[in-house]
Amino acid sequence: MLEVSDIHVSYGKVEAVRGVSLTVKPGKVTLVLGANGAGKSTTLKAVAGLEKPTSGTIVLDEKPITGMPPHAIVRRGIALVPEGRRVFAPLMIHENLRMGAYTAPKSSYDETLAKVYEMFPILSDRSHAAAGLLSGGEQQMLAFGRALMSQPKVMLLDEPSMGLAPAVVDSILTKVRAMADSGIGILMVEQNAEAGLDVADDVVAIARGEVVFTGPATSARDNASVLRAFLGEAALAGQ
Ligand SMILES: Nc1ncnc2c1ncn2[C@@H]1O[C@H](COP(=O)(O)OP(=O)(O)O)[C@@H](O)[C@H]1O
Ligand SMILES: [Mg+2]
């Protein structure tokens, strides 16, 4: 269980995240909605240790991880899949996967790799292809696979469907659900709210760095404050 409580994160004088709290449970998907610039990525980066909160706490399985460096947080069991996937294009698929395993025990490498190949057969079929030759959807699966190699308890997914064709979006989000069903807790930012809600258990909506809605995915669909956070004030004002 991941518990983020009242975190604040600033870039210089600009406070991008202002008191965000959220929970991620094992086997569940928490969906983060919000307009561009709302502070979604910053929240994920703070959990991953890439940005240090100025206040608030981040606790994984009852142990605080607030302010720890990124590699230590990976070791505790939190893996970030960044926006834009960031696979190493010249390296082969299996080499990309190996890079995700640097914090995990060597003894379990083969077993973890087998599980990743089982979940993403395309990665197995093309394990000796350069990652740069994969389609966008396949690169997203590789980014998921690389994160899984660290044997995470929690995965942080920043806009996994960005730039993908609608049919591919569905297959990516189906994989997100499958990863959760394997017991991993997932915190996912997704601009495609409709598709994201289909696989989410819980929703947190953020507007200008603050949480404006927290609740089950089923109740988020009709909630005006969620829509406002997702579309932005301007979009609603124009209606
Ligand atoms: N590295 C940075 N330096 C300065 N400001 C940043 C940086 N990253 C993000 N911001 C600002 O912080 C706010 C939140 O950004 P971000 O968390 O990326 O939003 P989102 O992911 O919801 O679109 C925005 O106003 C953005 O311009
Ligand atoms: Mg973002």
Side-chain angles (χ1 to χ4, degrees):
M1 166 95 90
L2 175 73
E3 285 196 86
V4 174
S5 305
D6 197 22
I7 58 165
H8 291 247
V9 185
S10 294
Y11 297 108
K13 284 180 187 158
V14 179
E15 199 172 45
V17 169
R18 305 186 289 168
V20 166
S21 300
L22 57 86
T23 302
V24 183
K25 299 172 212 138
K28 303 288 182 194
V29 177
T30 297
L31 174 67
V32 182
L33 295 178
N36 259 337
K40 306 179 300 294
S41 294
T42 303
T43 300
L44 263 53
K45 285 178 190 168
V47 175
L50 296 170
E51 299 292 343
K52 275 199 190 346
T54 52
S55 65
T57 58
I58 305 168
V59 175
L60 179 67
D61 292 340
E62 279 146 46
K63 296 189 190 96
I65 57 166
T66 327
M68 282 172 52
H71 64 88
I73 290 178
V74 175
R75 240 176 255 280
R76 291 294 182 96
I78 298 181
L80 172 67
V81 180
E83 195 177 328
R85 327 196 219 286
R86 313 247 185 98
V87 300
F88 298 97
L91 296 188
M92 288 185 272
I93 288 176
H94 73 95
E95 292 169 324
N96 271 272
L97 292 173
R98 181 176 295 272
M99 294 186 80
Y102 76 103
T103 57
K106 281 204 174 65
S107 56
S108 54
Y109 181 82
D110 290 342
E111 193 186 328
T112 310
L113 186 63
K115 279 189 201 157
V116 168
Y117 281 158
E118 193 183 335
M119 181 162 291
F120 303 108
I122 184 76
L123 301 182
S124 173
D125 296 347
R126 304 192 62 191
S127 65
H128 285 70
L133 296 176
L134 299 178
S135 70
E138 290 163 352
Q139 289 193 11
Q140 187 60 55
M141 292 191 199
L142 177 55
F144 287 166
R146 182 178 57 189
L148 287 169
M149 291 303 294
S150 69
Q151 303 176 2
K153 295 174 187 165
V154 174
M155 292 174 80
L156 313 172
L157 313 181
D158 200 348
E159 305 211 21
S161 79
M162 194 201 267
L164 302 181
V168 184
V169 171
D170 283 348
S171 71
I172 288 296
L173 293 176
T174 302
K175 293 296 185 185
V176 170
R177 188 66 246 174
M179 293 190 293
D181 290 342
S182 79
I184 298 170
I186 293 187
L187 182 61
M188 174 171 74
V189 174
E190 182 52 66
Q191 279 292 339
N192 190 335
E194 277 296 318
L197 283 167
D198 283 344
V199 299
D201 298 289
D202 298 293
V203 175
V204 175
I206 300 179
R208 284 180 241 88
E210 295 180 49
V211 173
V212 292
F213 173 88
T214 303
T218 46
S219 71
R221 283 182 190 277
D222 313 317
N223 191 296
S225 60
V226 174
L227 275 184
R228 196 173 294 117
F230 179 59
L231 299 171
E233 298 292 343
L236 276 194
Q239 286 176 356

